[in-house]
Amino acid sequence: MNPAQLLVLAFVTLVLLNFLVAIRMLKVRITEMRTRKIAPQKVALSAQRTERLQDSRASDNYNHLFELPVLFYALCLLAIATQHIPNWLPTLAFIFVISRIIHSLIQCTYNKVMHRFAVFLFGLFLLMGMWIGFALSYLSV
């Protein structure tokens, strides 16, 4: 595979994680609503969901997958659009994706905040480095 294909594969892998967490969120939410006999309209707003639903791990994680990863998607798209993909970028992209998978696994299961926070910080600093490295490498061409 060439670097662009590898970058697309990392991108698609993170998108698939979004779908998996969405399915998990739906399963958890529907099961809880059925078990506790909560009418769908009673949780129409986020404040109502917070008040009535007890397990928000998958839902919270789903939201987190649209925060920091947006900058990852933007970097991937920019690299592909400019046809400037440094050799190191696909490798770091996969490491970032792995960090998001680990973050999701922690948050959707035992949800130990300090474990999740450590993985978040790792991914944050990695992504910052990727952006800085990409910018410097693009500007020096």
Side-chain angles (χ1 to χ4, degrees):
M1 288 186 139
N2 66 41
Q5 290 171 315
L6 289 170
L7 202 55
V8 168
L9 185 57
F11 190 105
V12 168
T13 301
L14 192 53
V15 169
L16 290 174
L17 177 63
N18 276 267
F19 292 146
L20 288 172
V21 171
I23 291 166
R24 171 78 177 151
M25 175 186 65
L26 288 170
K27 183 181 180 301
V28 168
R29 188 171 287 173
I30 290 169
T31 299
E32 183 175 353
M33 289 173 67
R34 282 184 178 159
T35 302
R36 299 182 56 226
K37 296 178 180 22
I38 301 170
Q41 198 59 43
K42 297 289 184 184
V43 291
L45 302 174
S46 59
Q48 294 169 320
R49 285 190 301 275
T50 300
E51 183 180 303
R52 288 183 173 85
L53 298 176
Q54 295 171 347
D55 189 353
S56 66
R57 292 174 296 180
S59 177
D60 293 343
N61 186 249
Y62 186 73
N63 290 335
H64 292 161
L65 288 170
F66 289 96
E67 294 171 353
L68 186 61
V70 169
L71 297 174
F72 171 77
Y73 294 133
L75 178 58
C76 290
L77 291 173
L78 182 61
I80 292 166
T82 61
Q83 297 181 354
H84 178 75
I85 303 171
N87 290 331
W88 50 263
L89 188 58
T91 301
L92 294 184
F94 272 105
I95 294 170
F96 177 78
V97 169
I98 290 167
S99 78
R100 297 312 300 176
I101 291 170
I102 294 168
H103 183 273
S104 291
L105 286 171
I106 292 169
Q107 188 164 28
C108 290
T109 58
Y110 70 97
N111 202 23
K112 181 86 171 174
V113 172
M114 291 313 292
H115 294 174
R116 202 175 81 220
F117 183 61
V119 175
F120 168 79
L121 282 180
F122 174 81
L124 172 66
F125 290 126
L126 175 62
L127 190 56
M128 288 170 63
M130 290 166 64
W131 267 101
I132 292 167
F134 177 81
L136 292 175
S137 113
Y138 184 80
L139 294 173
S140 67
V141 173

